């Protein structure tokens, strides 16, 4: 979809995964393996706070991460990587992205203001930069995943409004960064 086709559009999507991890698990050398989980990391519903991120996540309220506190990723990107690598299904939670969507080109959102509404009202985000993959992807997903995810690792976003996101059907609304026309929920 070209940018001009996305501006002011409503796209039905599905929220397939919501992750709020209280601590980083990919520390040190990838060859040593990830740190163990310190509790539940995937959720049916998460709270988002404007300018702070996902409540309960390791990057919540961290000044260095304010414009990158929420990472959004496309489920289709992981399927493409699995196909390229000839592997079986890959675990979306292993990417450590907060929100995994199905039904839109998430990487094309970079530079855009968009909202997600899962039924409790829209949560507005500004997609600032790519969420580049790291060498850990070769360990936790499959050999070659680090390279295969380049250009399809999702986007790092800043939440502009507070609200909640839940698993299941959602509506994505996009407004171009230079558009003066407001879009409902954006």
């Amino acid at each position: 979809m070209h940018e001009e086709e996305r501006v002011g559009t409503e796209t039905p999507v599905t929220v397939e995964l919501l992750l709020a991890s209280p601590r980083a698990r990919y520390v040190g050398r990838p060859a040593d393996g990830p740190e163990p989980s310190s509790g539940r990391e995937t959720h049916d519903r998460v709270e988002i706070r404007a300018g702070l991120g996902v409540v309960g996540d390791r990057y919540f309220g961290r000044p260095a991460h304010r414009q990158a506190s929420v990472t959004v990723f496309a489920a289709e990107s992981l399927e493409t990587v699995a196909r390229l690598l000839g592997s079986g299904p890959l675990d979306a939670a292993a990417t450590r992205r907060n929100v995994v969507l199905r039904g839109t080109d998430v990487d094309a959102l970079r530079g855009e203001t968009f909202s997600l509404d899962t039924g409790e009202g829209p949560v507005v985000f500004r997609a600032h930069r790519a969420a580049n993959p790291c060498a850990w992807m070769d360990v936790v997903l499959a050999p070659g995943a680090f390279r295969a995810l380049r250009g399809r690792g999702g986007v790092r976003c800043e939440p502009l409004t507070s609200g909640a996101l839940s698993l299941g059907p959602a509506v994505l609304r996009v407004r171009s960064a230079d558009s003066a026309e407001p879009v409902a929920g954006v």
Side-chain angles (χ1 to χ4, degrees):
M1 187 178 289
H2 297 290
E3 181 179 328
E4 54 274 3
E5 294 171 339
R6 294 176 61 93
V7 175
T9 62
E10 289 189 6
T11 304
V13 296
T14 303
V15 177
E16 292 195 349
L17 181 118
L18 294 167
L19 184 131
S21 177
R23 68 184 185 100
R25 293 187 52 214
Y26 300 164
V27 295
R29 297 178 316 166
D32 294 336
E35 296 288 320
S37 173
S38 62
R40 187 169 181 214
E41 296 181 334
T42 60
H43 304 274
D44 294 338
R45 182 178 182 275
V46 294
E47 294 284 330
I48 309 289
R49 294 287 177 255
L52 298 173
V54 179
V55 175
D57 190 66
R58 63 204 177 279
Y59 296 123
F60 182 80
R62 300 265 176 115
H65 293 277
R66 291 247 167 91
Q67 290 190 341
S69 62
V70 179
T71 52
V72 182
F73 182 68
E76 294 88 349
S77 291
L78 202 55
E79 292 164 353
T80 298
V81 168
R83 194 171 50 256
L84 289 170
L85 300 177
S87 71
L90 301 174
D91 180 12
T95 66
R96 310 299 287 159
R97 302 305 191 240
N98 299 112
V99 180
V100 177
L101 298 178
R102 177 172 299 282
T104 194
D105 181 357
V106 168
D107 295 290
L109 292 172
R110 193 169 53 176
E112 301 287 348
T113 299
F114 68 96
S115 68
L116 278 172
D117 188 344
T118 60
E120 295 185 54
V123 180
V124 180
F125 298 92
R126 173 83 173 138
H128 287 284
R129 60 186 169 91
N132 294 318
C134 65
W136 278 95
M137 297 302 99
D138 284 349
V139 173
V140 298
L141 289 175
F146 169 55
R147 176 171 269 163
L149 275 167
R150 290 190 164 240
R152 33 175 99 81
V155 291
R156 295 187 179 279
C157 303
E158 172 185 12
L160 302 179
T161 63
S162 297
L165 297 176
S166 299
L167 294 177
V171 175
L172 172 79
R173 293 180 183 94
V174 180
R175 180 186 69 195
S176 175
D178 58 342
S179 173
E181 293 298 314
V183 175
V186 177

